[in-house]
Amino acid sequence: MAIWVDVTTSLSWERPPVGIVRTELECARHLTIKGVHGSREHLCYYDREAGVFRRLSDTQNRKIDNMLLGRYGHRSDRPLDQFLKVHSLPRKDTRRGPLKKLNRKLRYCLDGVEGGHLKGWGWQAGNFGFPVEVLIDIEGKVIARTTADKFREDLQSQKIGNGTCGFEIPLSDIFARLDDSCGGSANISLKPRFGKPVRVGELIYSPEAFDFIRSPAPEQGPMVRLANGDTYITAGLDWDSKDFGQIYSLKARHGFRVIGFCYDMIPFYLPHLCVGDVAAYFAKHFTELSWCADGVVCISQASKNDFLGFVKDSGCRLPELDVVRLGSSIQPRKSREHAISRNVVRVLQDRFILYVSTIERRKSHETLYRAYVTLLEAGITDLPRLVFVGMKGWGVDDFLRDIDLDPRSKKYISILTDVDDGELDLLYRNCLFTVFPSLYEGWGLPIAESLTYAKYCIASNRASIPEIAPRVLSGIDPWDINAWAREIYSLSHDPTKLASLEEDIRQSFRPDTWSQFGEDVLDFCSRVAQRIE
Amino acid sequence: MTRLGERSYKPNLLVLTSYPLADPKHGGQIRGAQLVEHYSSLGWNAHNIAYVDYESPEQLGPNDKIFSDKKFHGLFEGIEVPYVNDLALSEYVGCDSVFLDFCSSLPMRIDIIHVEQPWLWALAERYRADVNGDCILVYGGQNIEAKLKIEVLSSLTDGHYSYLYDRVYTAIDALEKRAVGSADIVAGVSRSDIADMSAWNSRAQFVSAANGVRSFPVDARHLSLWQQKLAATPFLLYAASAHPPNFTGFNEIFGGSLACFPPNTRFVIVGSVCPHVEREASVGPYRTVNQSRLRLFQQVSDDDLAALKSLAVGFLLPVSYGGGTNLKTAEALYVGKPVIGTPAALRGFDDWVGFPSVSVGYNPSEIHKAIRQVFANPPVSEITEDKRDSLTWANCFTGLLQAVKGRMDGKSNGNLG
């Protein structure tokens, strides 16, 4: 009886992971074990179109392994060709010896990189049936190879052989064998059937190229049938990727157990704080989840209460519920030669307070903006920089425009996006304190993260937030702007008070660990299994 | 021709309705057609005349009349009011010209007039007064109409005509009491209705004549067709007309949510109620869930319905209000499968509610729980054949037919001297 962990969301994630993706990854880390081939056993994903579960392909396994090591597909603003170049060497006749004139000339072209592949063509007249071999090597050691035997219409029209002399090598295959800690170059050679390899070019790369290469095009893993008694755990963005109605039918047929997650019921209870009218969409999701799941992990008592309320009102089935706290550790990546981004460097040079969150209406960044304006209008100008770390979300265009244009606050507020774990680690370590004025949360992971760094957090008093550290934090109504202004001023001007609060944190707060999270989820799975038996 | 008093005399009976019986579809039509059929089974000449709204698309019988007089149609006290055309009809049939036309269309002397609902009572009463003093008058009460009318108006007109409610109620109440007061026999569909009418100062004989069911054999071809169409999906069935109590309050009954249906099950609804249910179920935060659980089939034949009843896991009756007894409730109970209904749906079937397979839901939570239960663990029916047979039209009309025959026989014996 196996425990299967679904990683559908992680497989399609290209950025540093937000809380839900992190949770899915931590389920993969703590609830599965590595097999003899090094990849984690019993990882799967859900192919919604086919309505089946699939094991991961080798490429997908590598992606998850990388993500677990803190390496994420990272879409830089700069295109790939800034980090990866294909250089063709000058052509020369490489034929030698008395039979030189008998040897046919090797013709080739390196087209460059396209669609995640190194492309080109190579052909030697008179060698029909024996295509040219393409070799990629580092100092003579071959790291990737293929044969130039792909048909291309353009080659046929140019009468280059019969057109069947193109080649493509996936960059992921090449880069899998390279050291990602530094840049370098790899030789590109063509080897005719009878002859020695001819070096025709080189692939020159810098370390940033690895970020692009690690986001491979999706490919399908083999179908897998979950067995009677298996447990299937799904913790991702399931309302986007799963059809629980379909999974319900699969479960009825094969008898496996389902453990789902409820992060929050915000789209159902507070749709006005979400994108569009989403209540009906999420009502369907939670209904099907309730019917399908034998157990649902809720990440806070507040979420559990909301879920219970939903089940009561909607009339759907009530699965077993449990509250499991998320871990709050950030894993900095291993150091790299490339610099921390310029924007982060600039922030680190100032006194600053930090708000880590997607910038959207529910997170109430406007509370902080208004608090700052309140202080500024009162003549208080020695304020720390207010740093927002997060992606832009919904419903904040006007707000962001205000921040950008308001001359009073413009120089005090910075927005950082695409901050990786290493940079986030630095920001937490160097901030004065953090803030979190959210209107509603399922948990509030950045607050826990802040406390892990023994950094005080001025936090909202709504929903699940008071559950995070009730002995350490006192909450403020996010709509009480004056209270926020007073508290921000107080903590940024009273180092003694701040130090005392930080000492309280060190004494009282015990960070939740992801390993404890894993144990708690496993324990819940066992209890659910026993109840069913 | 045999005459009254002669031993081989076949009484002439007329059933008066405000809807045609030529092609019975809704409950009232089915009931009316069954009355004609069962009176005929006594060996009597039973006929029907219906006074039908000119806007009705339904098939008319050979003797049916059209109600279109603009002086009355759609009006109450000269005011255009929706849903009170039956009350307007009662005013119309009080006219001399209408009565004369009525009499002229009668094929023979009528011995018994059975009037369903109070709207056409004036015709029967005047016939006895002016044409045949020995005519036996039977009032068939399907409901306490005054109360029902106000419920219909308040649920469908957003209180727009609330200033007329008292007057509408008074007018209909007066009609009902007039009918009960002057009838020889009053037939009620439930003990509760009979108790209410008995209190109206009448010397009539009160009898029970509940709504019954027809036994309809299942056709193998239709069964196979619906098995394919519904792909072996377990479902609860609701067959209903567009009569307002059948759909208004749908959201109140379910709390707006059909999430109590497991993902692989459906709520199959048939009949003219479908577009109304679809509209009701398509509002609110559960609308997507609701739409995923509903299968609606507006037009189905009797064979289709028989097949669906055979395939259903059980029956769900979300009737929001109304007196009388519900035809669809009787039909559902007769099948012997689980039945879940509101108190209004199961009104008049109190002696059925004690069975494990019959559930009454007083609020959304109870309805949801009953639905989940029926799919997870269908209750075993303990309903006996005799109990089921008590629901047939023949059994339901036994008391009425005996009472009417008794009166008729008494009149005949008197004439025989």
Side-chain angles (χ1 to χ4, degrees):
Chain A
M1 292 189 296
I3 291 183
W4 291 85
V5 176
D6 184 292
V7 289
T8 306
T9 302
S10 299
L11 285 175
S12 60
W13 198 258
E14 302 291 351
R15 295 171 164 272
V18 296
I20 290 175
V21 181
R22 171 161 293 157
T23 304
E24 186 180 82
L25 285 171
E26 295 298 338
C27 285
R29 188 198 308 279
H30 293 285
L31 304 178
T32 62
I33 53 172
K34 282 196 177 181
V36 294
H37 302 295
S39 295
R40 291 186 173 270
E41 293 188 342
H42 300 119
L43 288 184
C44 67
Y45 70 98
Y46 180 66
D47 180 343
R48 190 172 187 161
E49 269 186 38
V52 299
F53 296 112
R54 295 189 183 278
R55 286 184 186 273
L56 274 57
S57 66
D58 289 344
T59 309
Q60 289 168 328
N61 269 313
R62 277 198 292 277
K63 175 165 183 176
I64 296 300
D65 286 343
N66 281 327
M67 291 180 87
L68 290 173
L69 290 170
R71 301 178 194 159
Y72 316 113
H74 185 102
R75 288 281 167 234
S76 163
D77 290 333
R78 294 149 67 193
L80 174 60
D81 61 12
Q82 298 277 328
F83 311 113
L84 180 66
K85 289 188 191 324
V86 176
H87 172 61
S88 289
L89 294 175
R91 288 167 198 268
K92 54 187 179 185
D93 191 343
T94 59
R95 292 176 297 174
R96 296 283 182 269
L99 300 176
K100 172 181 167 178
K101 286 212 188 311
L102 292 177
N103 285 342
R104 306 291 185 192
K105 213 168 161 185
L106 180 63
R107 296 174 64 191
Y108 64 89
C109 178
L110 297 178
D111 294 322
V113 168
E114 186 189 331
H117 290 73
L118 170 65
K119 292 186 177 179
W121 59 268
W123 180 68
Q124 186 180 50
N127 275 357
F128 293 113
F130 295 103
V132 169
E133 201 175 4
V134 182
L135 305 169
I136 311 294
D137 73 89
I138 301 268
E139 295 173 351
K141 185 178 171 198
V142 173
I143 61 171
R145 65 175 74 215
T146 190
T147 42
D149 58 359
K150 285 200 175 349
F151 173 76
R152 282 172 42 177
E153 218 171 284
D154 61 318
L155 300 179
Q156 184 188 53
S157 64
Q158 291 173 59
K159 296 186 172 41
I160 300 172
N162 58 5
T164 316
C165 50
F167 70 84
E168 297 177 0
I169 298 184
L171 291 176
S172 54
D173 284 355
I174 299 172
F175 277 75
R177 310 287 291 275
L178 296 175
D179 178 6
D180 64 357
S181 62
C182 55
S185 67
N187 298 313
I188 305 171
S189 303
L190 300 181
K191 181 183 177 305
R193 179 72 169 93
F194 302 105
K196 292 184 180 171
V198 175
R199 189 159 165 258
V200 298
E202 54 186 353
L203 191 65
I204 303 166
Y205 60 92
S206 57
E208 285 83 354
F210 286 87
D211 292 335
F212 284 85
I213 309 308
R214 284 198 195 104
S215 305
E219 54 182 81
Q220 280 187 348
M223 198 182 92
V224 63
R225 178 173 293 169
L226 273 55
N228 189 354
D230 284 352
T231 297
Y232 166 74
I233 298 176
T234 177
L237 296 168
D238 290 342
W239 47 90
D240 277 346
S241 63
K242 304 285 178 354
D243 180 339
F244 278 110
Q246 255 181 5
I247 296 174
Y248 180 87
S249 298
L250 284 173
K251 178 184 159 179
R253 236 181 296 150
H254 302 300
F256 55 88
R257 291 183 273 269
V258 175
I259 303 291
F261 269 65
C262 171
Y263 292 94
D264 62 69
M265 306 283 300
I266 292 163
F268 178 76
Y269 284 113
L270 302 164
H272 58 290
L273 297 178
C274 301
V275 179
D277 185 7
V278 293
Y281 180 85
F282 279 87
K284 178 89 169 27
H285 162 68
F286 286 116
T287 294
E288 309 305 19
L289 173 65
S290 300
W291 278 106
C292 189
D294 297 286
V296 172
V297 173
C298 303
I299 63 170
S300 66
Q301 189 62 47
S303 290
K304 182 180 175 184
N305 292 343
D306 286 348
F307 192 90
L308 281 167
F310 172 82
V311 166
K312 182 168 172 282
D313 285 342
S314 69
C316 59
R317 176 180 156 274
L318 175 64
E320 192 90 11
L321 300 182
D322 198 14
V323 176
V324 175
R325 290 169 68 108
L326 301 179
S328 53
S329 56
I330 295 173
Q331 294 184 23
R333 277 189 302 179
K334 59 183 182 183
S335 62
R336 294 164 43 138
E337 287 181 1
H338 75 285
I340 302 295
S341 78
R342 281 194 296 270
N343 291 335
V344 173
V345 168
R346 205 175 301 129
V347 162
L348 290 172
Q349 289 165 352
D350 288 341
R351 294 167 72 227
F352 66 95
I353 64 177
L354 192 62
Y355 185 17
V356 178
S357 169
T358 308
I359 304 177
E360 59 180 71
R361 282 187 63 209
R362 176 169 60 89
K363 303 293 189 170
S364 199
H365 292 68
E366 185 153 352
T367 294
L368 302 170
Y369 161 63
R370 289 189 182 199
Y372 262 61
V373 168
T374 301
L375 289 167
L376 291 166
E377 287 187 336
I380 298 164
T381 55
D382 58 333
L383 294 169
R385 181 176 291 279
L386 173 58
V387 177
F388 296 153
V389 172
M391 302 185 294
K392 179 188 157 202
W394 171 79
V396 291
D397 286 341
D398 287 347
F399 166 65
L400 290 176
R401 198 174 308 121
D402 285 352
I403 287 177
D404 192 44
L405 295 178
D406 188 341
R408 297 166 298 179
S409 58
K410 193 176 156 75
K411 66 174 184 173
Y412 289 92
I413 301 178
S414 296
I415 301 176
L416 302 176
T417 58
D418 269 351
V419 168
D420 65 31
D421 270 3
E423 290 165 336
L424 191 56
D425 175 68
L426 283 172
L427 288 167
Y428 271 123
R429 285 182 196 284
N430 290 279
C431 68
L432 284 178
F433 52 89
T434 64
V435 285
F436 202 90
S438 175
L439 299 178
Y440 207 95
E441 290 291 325
W443 177 236
L445 193 58
I447 300 173
E449 288 175 344
S450 172
L451 298 178
T452 303
Y453 287 91
K455 294 291 179 177
Y456 188 77
C457 182
I458 305 176
S460 159
N461 62 354
R462 301 279 181 93
S464 64
I465 296 169
E467 293 175 48
I468 296 173
R471 279 186 279 181
V472 169
L473 301 180
S474 52
I476 305 179
D477 182 344
W479 284 348
D480 189 346
I481 306 298
N482 287 332
W484 281 85
R486 281 195 299 273
E487 192 70 359
I488 289 170
Y489 177 79
S490 170
L491 292 189
S492 57
H493 288 78
D494 189 343
T496 309
K497 178 181 176 184
L498 186 59
S500 168
L501 289 170
E502 288 170 355
E503 184 57 29
D504 282 345
I505 295 169
R506 284 187 206 95
Q507 296 297 325
S508 311
F509 179 73
R510 292 292 165 262
D512 302 297
T513 62
W514 285 110
S515 59
Q516 186 63 52
F517 162 83
E519 278 180 38
D520 291 343
V521 172
L522 260 180
D523 184 53
F524 178 57
C525 292
S526 300
R527 280 186 274 121
V528 168
Q530 278 171 16
R531 184 182 59 80
I532 292 172
E533 281 152 20
Chain B
M1 186 185 79
T2 53
R3 294 196 195 87
L4 180 66
E6 294 178 8
R7 290 194 189 280
S8 58
Y9 178 66
K10 281 176 73 170
N12 299 307
L13 182 145
L14 178 68
V15 175
L16 280 178
T17 58
S18 57
Y19 30 79
L21 305 184
D23 182 25
K25 291 266 187 310
H26 65 66
Q29 290 172 314
I30 295 170
R31 180 181 173 84
Q34 290 292 322
L35 282 167
V36 173
E37 184 181 314
H38 282 82
Y39 279 131
S40 298
S41 72
L42 293 175
W44 296 356
N45 298 315
H47 309 277
N48 162 247
I49 294 177
Y51 280 76
V52 183
D53 191 318
Y54 80 96
E55 289 173 326
S56 168
E58 297 184 279
Q59 183 182 338
L60 300 180
N63 303 315
D64 290 345
K65 314 245 181 228
I66 302 292
F67 168 43
S68 61
D69 191 328
K70 293 286 192 285
K71 288 197 295 293
F72 298 93
H73 190 275
L75 300 174
F76 173 72
E77 294 180 357
I79 305 165
E80 275 191 29
V81 182
Y83 307 115
V84 295
N85 222 27
D86 37 22
L87 188 51
L89 176 63
S90 71
E91 296 278 317
Y92 170 69
V93 298
C95 298
D96 289 343
S97 57
V98 175
F99 178 69
L100 288 172
D101 173 69
F102 166 68
C103 290
S104 68
S105 64
L106 295 174
M108 68 280 296
R109 178 186 163 94
I110 303 295
D111 300 298
I112 307 149
I113 301 180
H114 177 125
V115 184
E116 279 287 288
Q117 298 179 293
W119 322 118
L120 300 173
W121 187 256
L123 285 172
E125 202 175 51
R126 191 165 174 184
Y127 182 84
R128 184 170 64 180
D130 295 354
V131 178
N132 176 9
D134 288 331
C135 184
I136 297 167
L137 298 189
V138 181
Y139 173 58
Q142 296 178 4
N143 229 308
I144 304 302
E145 301 288 348
K147 186 164 172 273
L148 177 61
K149 185 63 70 184
I150 302 308
E151 284 172 338
V152 169
L153 282 172
S154 60
S155 68
L156 291 178
T157 62
D158 289 328
H160 188 70
Y161 299 95
S162 57
Y163 70 101
L164 292 173
Y165 287 177
D166 280 347
R167 281 139 67 184
V168 168
Y169 183 94
T170 301
I172 300 175
D173 185 57
L175 265 181
E176 290 182 284
K177 283 173 176 165
R178 175 177 160 186
V180 167
S182 60
D184 296 301
I185 298 169
V186 173
V189 293
S190 69
R191 279 199 287 261
S192 164
D193 282 2
I194 291 171
D196 285 343
M197 290 189 289
S198 299
W200 291 348
N201 202 22
S202 169
R203 290 175 304 150
Q205 179 186 1
F206 286 84
V207 296
S208 172
N211 284 318
V213 302
R214 295 171 295 175
S215 175
F216 212 89
V218 180
D219 172 62
R221 187 174 69 83
H222 283 83
L223 194 67
S224 171
L225 193 100
W226 282 99
Q227 276 170 331
Q228 280 178 40
K229 211 180 252 201
L230 297 173
T233 303
F235 65 92
L236 295 179
L237 180 64
Y238 177 45
S241 65
H243 186 43
N246 294 339
F247 61 87
T248 57
F250 186 89
N251 280 320
E252 282 71 30
I253 290 166
F254 290 104
S257 166
L258 296 177
C260 50
F261 280 80
N264 62 347
T265 66
R266 292 293 178 266
F267 185 17
V268 172
I269 302 182
V270 302
S272 53
V273 75
C274 284
H276 303 284
V277 166
E278 187 173 25
R279 186 188 60 241
E280 295 284 309
S282 296
V283 296
Y286 299 104
R287 59 185 180 275
T288 307
V289 177
N290 296 344
Q291 285 156 3
S292 75
R293 298 307 198 253
L294 285 171
R295 290 293 303 271
L296 304 173
F297 303 96
Q298 190 168 347
Q299 302 235 351
V300 297
S301 66
D302 287 341
D303 283 314
D304 289 323
L305 188 53
L308 284 166
K309 285 177 184 172
S310 171
L311 293 171
V313 167
F315 298 86
L316 181 51
L317 305 170
V319 178
S320 57
Y321 61 86
T325 59
N326 210 299
L327 199 75
K328 61 191 80 54
T329 305
E331 289 177 352
L333 290 168
Y334 184 74
V335 175
K337 292 183 179 177
V339 173
I340 302 167
T342 58
L346 288 161
R347 190 167 181 271
F349 296 97
D350 312 299
D351 54 338
W352 290 77
V353 173
F355 288 101
S357 61
V358 179
S359 304
V360 183
Y362 289 86
N363 54 53
S365 180
E366 290 182 359
I367 294 275
H368 293 159
K369 184 177 175 185
I371 292 169
R372 291 196 305 269
Q373 191 75 19
V374 109
F375 283 114
N377 210 7
V380 174
S381 176
E382 295 175 2
I383 298 169
T384 61
E385 279 296 313
D386 283 348
K387 186 71 178 166
R388 286 181 58 212
D389 284 343
S390 69
L391 291 171
T392 59
W393 286 110
N395 274 313
C396 289
F397 285 164
T398 301
L400 171 64
L401 295 178
Q402 279 175 354
V404 177
K405 187 171 186 299
R407 287 280 177 144
M408 196 61 222
D409 288 347
K411 242 176 42 172
S412 303
N413 290 339
N415 284 332
L416 286 171

